[in-house]
């Protein structure tokens, strides 16, 4: 299996991380996860543009353009013969003696990318999944897809211990997103999902979904919604690169609607499937 390190393709066993890499020591870097369907990246350019934006938001300059990265990732997918899977890529602020202050411009970023063969989550998408609720204790720049994921991990771990798929995060009474996906509710046929601001990652899947809604005249609102609205919603679903459009049929031990995937969620799943085929 091949991986890419700083633009060179090598065998996974030959790839190494320096003990003073800033990603390793500080989580000082940004990342993306891109879906591969039928051997091709889905919304690859959108992900790579967001990667560039994330880097700019932490004052990091990437040594490649989104176009160059797209071409390199295409190479890696071909070499590893990935049909259905993911591409993971990350840039850190490079290797330098440990110091909270950024190293100078002369220190190169560290770039790592690899692929994985991952099937689509067909069964949970059919049946729906459960979620727990957890206070959103993360920082106030969740719009940056940074390597600092401890807040997300703590919530996802709690969900896993409760045999649930996702933790729905809330800041006080306001629902923000999931530990590793965006969260939407449906009330009286209208999709409601948190506006794209510093409290959430503006998911590429979320954006794709809203584009589908515009094209199909499915009504939606981008606004914060409360825990009360969540618990009285007709439908709840999670969206993300790995989870696609995932019905949430139970929240904090209580069924959502009739406890089965709802009609709007199913419609979105079908429309999304048509996009990726
Ligand atoms: N997670 N919100 C959070 C906190 C996420 O980590 C993700 C994605 C999303 C959905 O974004 P997108 O539709 O662009 O994948 C929302 C990735 C897949 C991960 O960390 O594995």
């Amino acid at each position: 299996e091949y991986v890419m390190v700083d633009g060179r393709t090598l065998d996974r066993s030959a790839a190494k991380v320096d003990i003073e890499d800033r990603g390793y020591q500080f989580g000082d870097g940004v990342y993306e996860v891109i879906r591969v369907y039928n051997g091709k990246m889905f919304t690859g350019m959108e992900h790579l543009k967001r990667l560039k934006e994330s880097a700019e938001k932490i004052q990091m300059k990437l040594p490649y353009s989104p176009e160059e990265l797209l071409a390199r990732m295409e190479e890696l997918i071909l070499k590893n013969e990935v049909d259905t899977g993911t591409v993971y890529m990350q840039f850190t602020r490079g290797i330098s003696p440990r110091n909270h202050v950024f190293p100078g411009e002369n220190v190169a970023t560290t770039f790592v990318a690899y692929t994985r063969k991952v099937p689509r989550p067909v069964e949970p998408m059919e049946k729906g999944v459960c979620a727990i609720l957890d206070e959103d204790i993360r920082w106030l720049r969740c719009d940056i897809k940074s390597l600092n994921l401890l807040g997300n991990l703590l919530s996802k771990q709690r969900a896993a211990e409760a045999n649930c798929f996702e933790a729905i995060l809330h800041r006080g009474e306001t629902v923000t997103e999931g530990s590793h996906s965006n969260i939407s509710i449906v009330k009286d046929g209208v999709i409601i999902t948190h506006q794209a601001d510093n409290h959430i990652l503006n998911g590429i899947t979320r954006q794709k979904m809203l584009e589908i809604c515009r094209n199909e005249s499915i009504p939606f609102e981008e606004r914060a919604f409360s825990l009360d609205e969540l618990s009285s919603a007709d439908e709840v679903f999670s969206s993300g690169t790995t989870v696609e459009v995932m019905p949430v049929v139970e929240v904090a031990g209580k069924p959502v609607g009739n406890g089965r995937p709802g009609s709007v969620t199913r419609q979105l799943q079908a429309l999304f499937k048509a996009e990726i085929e």
Side-chain angles (χ1 to χ4, degrees):
E1 192 196 342
Y2 295 99
V3 302
M4 205 170 275
V5 178
D6 295 331
R8 286 193 307 139
T9 306
L10 40 110
D11 194 80
R12 189 189 174 116
S13 60
K16 288 200 261 348
V17 174
D18 191 282
I19 59 165
E20 284 196 311
D21 188 279
R22 293 180 65 90
Y24 183 58
Q25 286 193 325
F26 295 120
D28 185 6
V30 293
Y31 77 104
E32 278 296 332
V33 183
I34 305 176
R35 252 295 182 191
V36 179
Y37 299 118
N38 305 317
K40 296 231 152 42
M41 276 175 282
F42 178 66
T43 57
M45 202 41 152
E46 286 87 340
H47 281 276
L48 293 168
K49 282 185 178 155
R50 183 174 64 186
L51 183 69
K52 187 165 182 274
E53 285 165 17
S54 290
E56 281 166 358
K57 286 171 178 176
I58 65 164
Q59 297 161 54
M60 226 175 83
K61 209 171 162 330
L62 302 188
Y64 307 100
S65 67
E67 290 77 12
E68 283 166 330
L69 282 174
L70 198 72
R72 302 312 301 273
M73 293 307 104
E74 275 167 5
E75 262 174 56
L76 196 61
I77 289 163
L78 264 175
K79 263 190 140 60
N80 286 332
E81 298 175 350
V82 183
D83 180 57
T84 306
T86 55
V87 175
Y88 177 86
M89 50 199 303
Q90 69 169 44
F91 283 88
T92 78
R93 210 183 302 272
I95 301 157
S96 184
R98 187 176 183 279
N99 183 342
H100 287 56
V101 178
F102 297 166
E105 295 268 301
N106 54 326
V107 172
T109 55
T110 306
F111 167 44
V112 168
Y114 63 90
T115 60
R116 269 175 70 187
K117 292 175 180 165
V118 191
R120 299 181 58 221
V122 176
E123 205 186 303
M125 281 199 297
E126 276 293 315
K127 291 186 180 161
V129 295
C130 74
I132 62 159
L133 291 174
D134 208 9
E135 183 69 34
D136 192 344
I137 62 162
R138 299 172 305 159
W139 72 329
L140 296 173
R141 291 307 304 275
C142 297
D143 55 310
I144 302 171
K145 203 161 172 63
S146 96
L147 297 176
N148 277 274
L149 290 174
L150 259 184
N152 306 65
L153 305 190
L154 290 171
S155 293
K156 173 74 185 187
Q157 181 60 26
R158 278 200 58 203
E161 283 168 10
N163 287 316
C164 279
F165 165 84
E166 183 58 299
I168 299 179
L169 306 179
H170 55 94
R171 288 190 191 267
E173 284 302 303
T174 302
V175 176
T176 51
E177 61 175 338
S179 73
H180 70 305
S181 66
N182 291 113
I183 299 293
S184 304
I185 60 173
V186 181
K187 188 67 184 176
D188 300 328
V190 181
I191 296 170
I192 305 165
T193 196
H194 198 288
Q195 69 273 11
D197 63 14
N198 60 310
H199 290 301
I200 70 159
L201 181 78
N202 186 6
I204 303 299
T205 319
R206 174 191 177 283
Q207 293 172 52
K208 193 78 202 169
M209 172 191 96
L210 296 181
E211 183 190 310
I212 290 173
C213 288
R214 266 179 225 111
N215 292 341
E216 302 289 327
S217 303
I218 301 169
F220 68 87
E221 292 174 12
E222 287 184 83
R223 63 164 176 87
F225 55 91
S226 67
L227 283 174
D228 283 346
E229 288 182 278
L230 175 69
S231 64
S232 62
D234 301 326
E235 303 177 31
V236 176
F237 64 88
S238 145
S239 66
T241 294
T242 45
V243 310
E244 299 188 9
V245 178
M246 184 68 78
V248 178
V249 295
E250 188 188 301
V251 176
K254 285 192 303 188
V256 176
N258 62 6
R260 296 161 58 82
S263 58
V264 176
T265 308
R266 285 195 175 287
Q267 185 189 3
L268 272 181
Q269 284 181 321
L271 291 165
F272 192 81
K273 188 157 180 270
E275 293 274 335
I276 67 181
E277 274 168 353

